[in-house]
Amino acid sequence: MSSSDAMAGTVNGGISFWYAQTGLPVPREPLAGDASADVVIVGGGYTGLWTAYYLKKAAPDLRIVVLEQKFCGYGASGRNGGWLYNGVAGRDRYARLHGREAAVRLQRAMNETVDEVVRVAGEEGVEADIHRGGVLEVACTPAQLSRLRAFHEHERAYGEDDRELYGARETAERIRVADAVGSTWTPHGARLNPVKLVTGLAAVVERLGVTVHELTPVTEIRPRQAVTPYGTVRAPHVLRCTEGFTANLRGQRRTWLPMNSSMIATAPLTAGQWAAIGWEGRETLGDMAHAYMYAQRTADDRIALGGRGVPYRFGSRTDNDGRTQAATIEALYEILVRFFPSLAGVRVDHAWSGVLGVPRDWCATVTLDRSTGLGWAGGYVGSGVATTNLAARTLRDLVLRDSGQAGSTELTSLPWVNHRVRKWEPEPLRWAGVQGMYATYRAADRREAASNKGESSRLARVADRVAGRH
């Protein structure tokens, strides 16, 4: 079977494969007119729902309203790769700005966050296909192996004493990735079904008494006001939890860049196919390429695999219900077959795309402006499944402190709190820079594969400087 045959019946878009399993939700009622609350949360994804959850659990009398433009989980929370893991964007920069110990505290909090999500899901009866297999990241070239070893030691220096480094044989004992020469594994990770998590959270917060209005786009956020076409909600605290859709808000076009990420899901694999691959531990799987991939073995025995397709759309536009380009689907399929040659010809059942939020310095942040009551969290750069939970608990503590219901906490002193960064460049510089950056990363990967040298391509360092990562 050719690759075109494998993709002949592929569903393209429809939000994501995860919704193909559950069906799209029936949206909740939109806002009916002007309203008031103690806290209004803009965005019904993980950040907004977790924030509503923790605020309501801490202060049950708070009147909390969540406003969502489509339905809860329409954005990245319903389209991601289901990686619940301990990565956080910007940690090294925070170490430079605030000292190593502050960054270690942030990393420790992220390690604990994986446990927290699993705990709350179990306690609240949210069945999200969570399996704690850890995270395995592989190297397939000498240059990748050098980066992997450096990455492994770097993570251990931030306190991950339980991280393990494997050679080719030990890697194959976990997952038989073609040409893998080594890997690093951390137990601080789990696979999950992202839609089951977000829909479960939405049901939990409603059960707690939070008001959720869907089909209610917020067009502008002002001090103590969230403006919609149907009315304005006024509250002492207005929290922006919009991640990759932030650019749609008035005045926010250049705040966070909506970076595109795309995925495919195969048909369920046979027992024989799994026997050839291994993957009994159901680890989440990534690699050390500059234009990296990420994957999971789903609860129904498919492979869901993602990576960068068209990384950015001119003018910070977002996609149309997850539809992605044919060339991107083909590229992801090529990665799948390169990793697992025995799967050549396997059917691709679904392909989709979504956007994630990228600040100019690639640092996730949590902020509350006490003078205006405006708060926000995000810029997770693709590591949001767990980071949203830590961000939400931090927003909770900031709001409670600001309203006089609590004092400072360990979370409010983390180095990402109230971090500010400059805006992205105007167009067309923004579009040209991002397109050039990822073209350079892909060229660096090709050059490393061809050279077989144990050092990273200089092209990747050029792309890092353009990106502002260092």
Side-chain angles (χ1 to χ4, degrees):
M1 183 185 290
S2 68
S3 60
S4 59
D5 290 334
M7 293 177 282
T10 301
V11 176
N12 189 345
I15 314 303
S16 74
F17 159 73
W18 312 112
Y19 282 112
Q21 292 188 306
T22 63
L24 295 179
V26 176
R28 296 167 174 86
E29 289 296 316
L31 182 69
D34 291 345
S36 63
D38 297 310
V39 180
V40 59
I41 296 170
V42 181
Y46 291 148
T47 306
L49 294 174
W50 277 125
T51 302
Y53 173 80
Y54 285 111
L55 277 170
K56 197 67 172 175
K57 293 287 280 190
D61 292 337
L62 282 178
R63 296 173 302 144
I64 302 172
V65 173
V66 175
L67 303 176
E68 163 57 40
Q69 67 167 338
K70 293 287 184 70
F71 54 80
C72 291
Y74 175 79
S77 299
R79 309 189 197 191
N80 64 79
W83 273 45
L84 176 71
Y85 85 117
N86 65 338
V88 57
R91 183 197 59 192
D92 289 349
R93 187 180 295 271
Y94 288 131
R96 293 194 294 271
L97 292 173
H98 300 279
R100 187 169 192 80
E101 178 52 36
V104 168
R105 287 192 295 109
L106 179 60
Q107 185 59 66
R108 189 181 305 122
M110 278 304 310
N111 296 348
E112 295 166 354
T113 293
V114 175
D115 300 328
E116 172 69 5
V117 172
V118 175
R119 181 193 69 81
V120 174
E123 187 176 282
E124 298 292 353
V126 177
E127 175 48 61
D129 297 336
I130 297 173
H131 181 86
R132 299 199 63 167
V135 182
L136 186 76
E137 293 171 278
V138 301
C140 295
T141 68
Q144 288 184 20
L145 184 60
S146 294
R147 284 198 298 277
L148 182 136
R149 288 170 173 163
F151 169 74
H152 176 84
E153 293 305 320
H154 195 59
E155 297 306 295
R156 286 180 60 85
Y158 278 99
E160 270 201 75
D161 296 331
D162 46 4
R163 178 176 284 274
E164 298 177 5
L165 183 67
Y166 302 139
R169 179 183 58 80
E170 295 165 303
T171 301
E173 288 173 356
R174 284 185 173 267
I175 309 176
R176 286 184 281 281
V177 174
D179 301 324
V181 291
S183 63
T184 180
W185 176 82
T186 176
H188 301 291
R191 172 220 72 191
L192 56 74
N193 180 311
V195 161
K196 289 183 178 180
L197 179 60
V198 73
T199 55
L201 274 177
V204 168
V205 300
E206 275 197 314
R207 192 164 66 238
L208 291 174
V210 173
T211 300
V212 180
H213 290 297
E214 297 179 323
L215 299 177
T216 305
V218 172
T219 56
E220 185 178 4
I221 294 175
R222 304 169 182 163
R224 300 175 179 84
Q225 296 181 31
V227 181
T228 84
Y230 313 119
T232 297
V233 182
R234 292 172 171 79
H237 294 101
V238 181
L239 307 180
R240 188 187 81 219
C241 304
T242 48
E243 191 57 359
F245 291 89
T246 299
N248 294 342
L249 293 164
R250 183 174 299 174
Q252 304 293 334
R253 178 71 66 184
R254 294 165 53 198
T255 299
W256 289 337
L257 185 139
M259 186 77 75
N260 190 64
S261 195
S262 301
M263 294 196 71
I264 58 173
T266 69
L269 303 189
T270 65
Q273 288 170 320
W274 283 119
I277 294 171
W279 213 338
E280 289 87 357
R282 297 178 184 265
E283 304 90 341
T284 55
L285 174 67
D287 75 349
M288 298 304 294
H290 300 293
Y292 54 87
M293 57 76 69
Y294 53 94
Q296 66 150 283
R297 177 176 177 175
T298 69
D300 61 346
D301 283 333
R302 305 168 188 264
I303 294 177
L305 180 148
R308 295 285 181 268
V310 177
Y312 172 71
R313 292 176 171 84
F314 189 88
S316 292
R317 295 194 303 272
T318 54
D319 61 83
N320 180 24
D321 288 350
R323 189 166 181 83
T324 194
Q325 292 186 345
T328 297
I329 303 172
E330 180 77 32
L332 293 174
Y333 186 78
E334 289 175 0
I335 294 172
L336 173 74
V337 174
R338 185 171 75 246
F339 269 51
F340 307 112
S342 63
L343 296 185
V346 71
R347 191 175 74 245
V348 175
D349 277 356
H350 211 116
W352 70 99
S353 294
V355 292
L356 47 99
V358 180
R360 189 62 184 89
D361 65 354
W362 299 69
C363 289
T365 58
V366 182
T367 297
L368 181 64
D369 186 333
R370 305 183 76 169
S371 67
T372 62
L374 298 179
W376 57 89
Y380 307 119
V381 195
S383 299
V385 180
T387 315
T388 51
N389 179 277
L390 179 60
R393 286 183 283 130
T394 307
L395 274 178
R396 171 202 61 192
D397 289 359
L398 291 170
V399 169
L400 294 179
R401 184 181 70 179
D402 188 51
S403 59
Q405 298 181 63
S408 297
T409 68
E410 184 176 336
L411 297 185
T412 61
S413 69
L414 289 175
W416 68 341
V417 173
N418 294 331
H419 175 77
R420 301 298 179 104
V421 64
R422 68 183 175 90
K423 293 180 180 293
W424 281 88
E425 291 79 0
E427 298 290 20
L429 296 177
R430 187 161 72 245
W431 182 88
V434 176
Q435 299 297 327
M437 175 182 67
Y438 273 98
T440 305
Y441 280 137
R442 287 190 286 267
D445 285 328
R446 291 193 297 270
R447 181 171 293 184
E448 289 175 4
S451 70
N452 213 34
K453 293 181 179 178
E455 58 183 28
S456 295
S457 168
R458 293 180 181 178
L459 289 175
R461 292 196 288 273
V462 172
D464 283 341
R465 286 196 291 272
V466 171
R469 287 177 169 175
H470 297 294

mmCIF file of all heavy atoms in Angstrom, residues 184-213:
data_model
loop_
_atom_site.group_PDB
_atom_site.id
_atom_site.type_symbol
_atom_site.label_atom_id
_atom_site.label_comp_id
_atom_site.label_asym_id
_atom_site.label_seq_id
_atom_site.Cartn_x
_atom_site.Cartn_y
_atom_site.Cartn_z
ATOM 1 N N THR A 184 16.580 9.079 26.674
ATOM 2 C CA THR A 184 16.483 9.464 28.080
ATOM 3 C C THR A 184 15.028 9.333 28.495
ATOM 4 O O THR A 184 14.119 9.618 27.696
ATOM 5 C CB THR A 184 17.008 10.898 28.310
ATOM 6 O OG1 THR A 184 16.895 11.238 29.703
ATOM 7 C CG2 THR A 184 16.243 11.924 27.506
ATOM 8 N N TRP A 185 14.822 8.873 29.727
ATOM 9 C CA TRP A 185 13.465 8.606 30.214
ATOM 10 C C TRP A 185 13.271 9.267 31.568
ATOM 11 O O TRP A 185 14.160 9.222 32.429
ATOM 12 C CB TRP A 185 13.239 7.103 30.343
ATOM 13 C CG TRP A 185 11.895 6.719 30.930
ATOM 14 C CD1 TRP A 185 10.709 6.628 30.275
ATOM 15 C CD2 TRP A 185 11.622 6.372 32.293
ATOM 16 N NE1 TRP A 185 9.704 6.246 31.141
ATOM 17 C CE2 TRP A 185 10.244 6.085 32.389
ATOM 18 C CE3 TRP A 185 12.410 6.273 33.448
ATOM 19 C CZ2 TRP A 185 9.632 5.716 33.596
ATOM 20 C CZ3 TRP A 185 11.812 5.913 34.648
ATOM 21 C CH2 TRP A 185 10.435 5.634 34.710
ATOM 22 N N THR A 186 12.115 9.906 31.738
ATOM 23 C CA THR A 186 11.740 10.445 33.039
ATOM 24 C C THR A 186 10.412 9.842 33.463
ATOM 25 O O THR A 186 9.513 9.661 32.621
ATOM 26 C CB THR A 186 11.621 11.984 33.015
ATOM 27 O OG1 THR A 186 11.148 12.442 34.293
ATOM 28 C CG2 THR A 186 10.655 12.470 31.951
ATOM 29 N N PRO A 187 10.251 9.531 34.745
ATOM 30 C CA PRO A 187 8.959 9.021 35.207
ATOM 31 C C PRO A 187 7.903 10.105 35.351
ATOM 32 O O PRO A 187 6.722 9.786 35.566
ATOM 33 C CB PRO A 187 9.306 8.409 36.576
ATOM 34 C CG PRO A 187 10.469 9.221 37.062
ATOM 35 C CD PRO A 187 11.265 9.536 35.829
ATOM 36 N N HIS A 188 8.301 11.380 35.207
ATOM 37 C CA HIS A 188 7.370 12.482 35.438
ATOM 38 C C HIS A 188 6.557 12.777 34.180
ATOM 39 O O HIS A 188 6.644 13.860 33.578
ATOM 40 C CB HIS A 188 8.123 13.722 35.898
ATOM 41 C CG HIS A 188 8.901 13.514 37.156
ATOM 42 N ND1 HIS A 188 8.290 13.315 38.375
ATOM 43 C CD2 HIS A 188 10.242 13.417 37.377
ATOM 44 C CE1 HIS A 188 9.215 13.136 39.301
ATOM 45 N NE2 HIS A 188 10.401 13.188 38.721
ATOM 46 N N GLY A 189 5.773 11.800 33.764
ATOM 47 C CA GLY A 189 4.958 11.978 32.571
ATOM 48 C C GLY A 189 3.905 10.903 32.455
ATOM 49 O O GLY A 189 4.032 9.812 33.030
ATOM 50 N N ALA A 190 2.856 11.217 31.718
ATOM 51 C CA ALA A 190 1.762 10.273 31.510
ATOM 52 C C ALA A 190 1.091 10.572 30.183
ATOM 53 O O ALA A 190 1.117 11.703 29.695
ATOM 54 C CB ALA A 190 0.734 10.364 32.637
ATOM 55 N N ARG A 191 0.496 9.532 29.624
ATOM 56 C CA ARG A 191 -0.342 9.690 28.434
ATOM 57 C C ARG A 191 -1.781 9.880 28.880
ATOM 58 O O ARG A 191 -2.231 9.294 29.862
ATOM 59 C CB ARG A 191 -0.236 8.435 27.589
ATOM 60 C CG ARG A 191 -1.211 8.406 26.412
ATOM 61 C CD ARG A 191 -1.792 7.013 26.212
ATOM 62 N NE ARG A 191 -2.748 6.632 27.241
ATOM 63 C CZ ARG A 191 -3.222 5.404 27.388
ATOM 64 N NH1 ARG A 191 -2.787 4.427 26.623
ATOM 65 N NH2 ARG A 191 -4.110 5.132 28.334
ATOM 66 N N LEU A 192 -2.508 10.719 28.148
ATOM 67 C CA LEU A 192 -3.934 10.875 28.429
ATOM 68 C C LEU A 192 -4.687 11.243 27.160
ATOM 69 O O LEU A 192 -4.099 11.535 26.122
ATOM 70 C CB LEU A 192 -4.172 11.899 29.537
ATOM 71 C CG LEU A 192 -3.625 13.337 29.405
ATOM 72 C CD1 LEU A 192 -4.413 14.174 28.423
ATOM 73 C CD2 LEU A 192 -3.628 14.018 30.766
ATOM 74 N N ASN A 193 -6.003 11.199 27.264
ATOM 75 C CA ASN A 193 -6.891 11.659 26.199
ATOM 76 C C ASN A 193 -7.274 13.099 26.528
ATOM 77 O O ASN A 193 -7.991 13.350 27.500
ATOM 78 C CB ASN A 193 -8.136 10.778 26.126
ATOM 79 C CG ASN A 193 -9.115 11.201 25.043
ATOM 80 O OD1 ASN A 193 -9.459 12.367 24.930
ATOM 81 N ND2 ASN A 193 -9.577 10.248 24.258
ATOM 82 N N PRO A 194 -6.801 14.072 25.756
ATOM 83 C CA PRO A 194 -7.006 15.477 26.130
ATOM 84 C C PRO A 194 -8.457 15.899 26.176
ATOM 85 O O PRO A 194 -8.841 16.708 27.035
ATOM 86 C CB PRO A 194 -6.228 16.250 25.063
ATOM 87 C CG PRO A 194 -5.962 15.301 23.963
ATOM 88 C CD PRO A 194 -5.959 13.929 24.545
ATOM 89 N N VAL A 195 -9.287 15.394 25.272
ATOM 90 C CA VAL A 195 -10.695 15.802 25.263
ATOM 91 C C VAL A 195 -11.437 15.245 26.476
ATOM 92 O O VAL A 195 -12.264 15.932 27.082
ATOM 93 C CB VAL A 195 -11.370 15.379 23.945
ATOM 94 C CG1 VAL A 195 -12.894 15.364 24.072
ATOM 95 C CG2 VAL A 195 -10.971 16.339 22.833
ATOM 96 N N LYS A 196 -11.146 14.016 26.840
ATOM 97 C CA LYS A 196 -11.788 13.475 28.034
ATOM 98 C C LYS A 196 -11.424 14.277 29.281
ATOM 99 O O LYS A 196 -12.241 14.454 30.182
ATOM 100 C CB LYS A 196 -11.429 12.002 28.202
ATOM 101 C CG LYS A 196 -12.073 11.088 27.174
ATOM 102 C CD LYS A 196 -11.743 9.628 27.442
ATOM 103 C CE LYS A 196 -12.437 8.714 26.436
ATOM 104 N NZ LYS A 196 -12.133 7.276 26.680
ATOM 105 N N LEU A 197 -10.180 14.781 29.320
ATOM 106 C CA LEU A 197 -9.792 15.608 30.457
ATOM 107 C C LEU A 197 -10.526 16.939 30.457
ATOM 108 O O LEU A 197 -11.074 17.355 31.482
ATOM 109 C CB LEU A 197 -8.277 15.837 30.446
ATOM 110 C CG LEU A 197 -7.740 16.725 31.575
ATOM 111 C CD1 LEU A 197 -8.037 16.130 32.945
ATOM 112 C CD2 LEU A 197 -6.230 16.960 31.414
ATOM 113 N N VAL A 198 -10.579 17.623 29.315
ATOM 114 C CA VAL A 198 -11.178 18.959 29.293
ATOM 115 C C VAL A 198 -12.692 18.898 29.470
ATOM 116 O O VAL A 198 -13.278 19.734 30.183
ATOM 117 C CB VAL A 198 -10.774 19.728 28.009
ATOM 118 C CG1 VAL A 198 -11.478 19.220 26.769
ATOM 119 C CG2 VAL A 198 -11.015 21.220 28.179
ATOM 120 N N THR A 199 -13.366 17.929 28.863
ATOM 121 C CA THR A 199 -14.818 17.831 29.053
ATOM 122 C C THR A 199 -15.150 17.397 30.474
ATOM 123 O O THR A 199 -16.145 17.849 31.051
ATOM 124 C CB THR A 199 -15.438 16.860 28.039
ATOM 125 O OG1 THR A 199 -14.789 15.582 28.130
ATOM 126 C CG2 THR A 199 -15.294 17.387 26.626
ATOM 127 N N GLY A 200 -14.301 16.542 31.041
ATOM 128 C CA GLY A 200 -14.511 16.157 32.428
ATOM 129 C C GLY A 200 -14.343 17.330 33.373
ATOM 130 O O GLY A 200 -15.135 17.514 34.310
ATOM 131 N N LEU A 201 -13.327 18.160 33.127
ATOM 132 C CA LEU A 201 -13.113 19.348 33.961
ATOM 133 C C LEU A 201 -14.292 20.318 33.859
ATOM 134 O O LEU A 201 -14.716 20.893 34.869
ATOM 135 C CB LEU A 201 -11.831 20.064 33.526
ATOM 136 C CG LEU A 201 -10.517 19.588 34.122
ATOM 137 C CD1 LEU A 201 -9.359 20.364 33.508
ATOM 138 C CD2 LEU A 201 -10.523 19.753 35.634
ATOM 139 N N ALA A 202 -14.784 20.511 32.647
ATOM 140 C CA ALA A 202 -15.919 21.426 32.472
ATOM 141 C C ALA A 202 -17.133 20.956 33.274
ATOM 142 O O ALA A 202 -17.835 21.760 33.907
ATOM 143 C CB ALA A 202 -16.269 21.532 30.990
ATOM 144 N N ALA A 203 -17.387 19.665 33.264
ATOM 145 C CA ALA A 203 -18.503 19.126 34.038
ATOM 146 C C ALA A 203 -18.282 19.298 35.534
ATOM 147 O O ALA A 203 -19.219 19.615 36.286
ATOM 148 C CB ALA A 203 -18.709 17.654 33.694
ATOM 149 N N VAL A 204 -17.045 19.114 35.975
ATOM 150 C CA VAL A 204 -16.735 19.244 37.405
ATOM 151 C C VAL A 204 -16.947 20.669 37.878
ATOM 152 O O VAL A 204 -17.569 20.907 38.930
ATOM 153 C CB VAL A 204 -15.289 18.788 37.681
ATOM 154 C CG1 VAL A 204 -14.849 19.185 39.093
ATOM 155 C CG2 VAL A 204 -15.160 17.275 37.510
ATOM 156 N N VAL A 205 -16.457 21.669 37.116
ATOM 157 C CA VAL A 205 -16.592 23.054 37.584
ATOM 158 C C VAL A 205 -18.060 23.492 37.586
ATOM 159 O O VAL A 205 -18.490 24.235 38.481
ATOM 160 C CB VAL A 205 -15.728 24.037 36.769
ATOM 161 C CG1 VAL A 205 -14.255 23.672 36.867
ATOM 162 C CG2 VAL A 205 -16.161 24.133 35.329
ATOM 163 N N GLU A 206 -18.842 23.020 36.634
ATOM 164 C CA GLU A 206 -20.275 23.326 36.670
ATOM 165 C C GLU A 206 -20.924 22.711 37.900
ATOM 166 O O GLU A 206 -21.773 23.328 38.532
ATOM 167 C CB GLU A 206 -20.951 22.802 35.405
ATOM 168 C CG GLU A 206 -20.872 23.742 34.226
ATOM 169 C CD GLU A 206 -21.884 23.396 33.158
ATOM 170 O OE1 GLU A 206 -22.008 22.205 32.808
ATOM 171 O OE2 GLU A 206 -22.550 24.330 32.648
ATOM 172 N N ARG A 207 -20.524 21.504 38.224
ATOM 173 C CA ARG A 207 -21.075 20.837 39.402
ATOM 174 C C ARG A 207 -20.731 21.597 40.675
ATOM 175 O O ARG A 207 -21.501 21.604 41.647
ATOM 176 C CB ARG A 207 -20.539 19.408 39.457
ATOM 177 C CG ARG A 207 -21.232 18.512 40.458
ATOM 178 C CD ARG A 207 -20.926 17.049 40.191
ATOM 179 N NE ARG A 207 -19.514 16.719 40.415
ATOM 180 C CZ ARG A 207 -18.719 16.197 39.485
ATOM 181 N NH1 ARG A 207 -19.176 15.956 38.256
ATOM 182 N NH2 ARG A 207 -17.469 15.890 39.771
ATOM 183 N N LEU A 208 -19.597 22.276 40.671
ATOM 184 C CA LEU A 208 -19.191 23.074 41.831
ATOM 185 C C LEU A 208 -19.917 24.418 41.907
ATOM 186 O O LEU A 208 -19.799 25.119 42.915
ATOM 187 C CB LEU A 208 -17.683 23.310 41.796
ATOM 188 C CG LEU A 208 -16.785 22.089 42.025
ATOM 189 C CD1 LEU A 208 -15.322 22.447 41.807
ATOM 190 C CD2 LEU A 208 -16.987 21.517 43.424
ATOM 191 N N GLY A 209 -20.617 24.794 40.838
ATOM 192 C CA GLY A 209 -21.360 26.051 40.853
ATOM 193 C C GLY A 209 -20.784 27.156 40.005
ATOM 194 O O GLY A 209 -21.247 28.306 40.065
ATOM 195 N N VAL A 210 -19.794 26.848 39.172
ATOM 196 C CA VAL A 210 -19.245 27.837 38.237
ATOM 197 C C VAL A 210 -20.185 27.970 37.050
ATOM 198 O O VAL A 210 -20.713 26.978 36.546
ATOM 199 C CB VAL A 210 -17.840 27.402 37.759
ATOM 200 C CG1 VAL A 210 -17.327 28.330 36.660
ATOM 201 C CG2 VAL A 210 -16.868 27.358 38.932
ATOM 202 N N THR A 211 -20.411 29.199 36.602
ATOM 203 C CA THR A 211 -21.246 29.454 35.425
ATOM 204 C C THR A 211 -20.371 29.440 34.177
ATOM 205 O O THR A 211 -19.389 30.186 34.089
ATOM 206 C CB THR A 211 -21.955 30.809 35.531
ATOM 207 O OG1 THR A 211 -22.785 30.811 36.695
ATOM 208 C CG2 THR A 211 -22.811 31.078 34.308
ATOM 209 N N VAL A 212 -20.716 28.593 33.204
ATOM 210 C CA VAL A 212 -19.952 28.486 31.967
ATOM 211 C C VAL A 212 -20.843 28.890 30.793
ATOM 212 O O VAL A 212 -21.889 28.273 30.561
ATOM 213 C CB VAL A 212 -19.425 27.056 31.749
ATOM 214 C CG1 VAL A 212 -18.623 26.966 30.451
ATOM 215 C CG2 VAL A 212 -18.576 26.598 32.932
ATOM 216 N N HIS A 213 -20.453 29.936 30.082
ATOM 217 C CA HIS A 213 -21.161 30.376 28.882
ATOM 218 C C HIS A 213 -20.298 30.052 27.666
ATOM 219 O O HIS A 213 -19.165 30.528 27.539
ATOM 220 C CB HIS A 213 -21.432 31.882 28.913
ATOM 221 C CG HIS A 213 -22.445 32.295 29.933
ATOM 222 N ND1 HIS A 213 -23.758 31.874 29.896
ATOM 223 C CD2 HIS A 213 -22.326 33.102 31.023
ATOM 224 C CE1 HIS A 213 -24.412 32.401 30.916
ATOM 225 N NE2 HIS A 213 -23.567 33.146 31.625
#
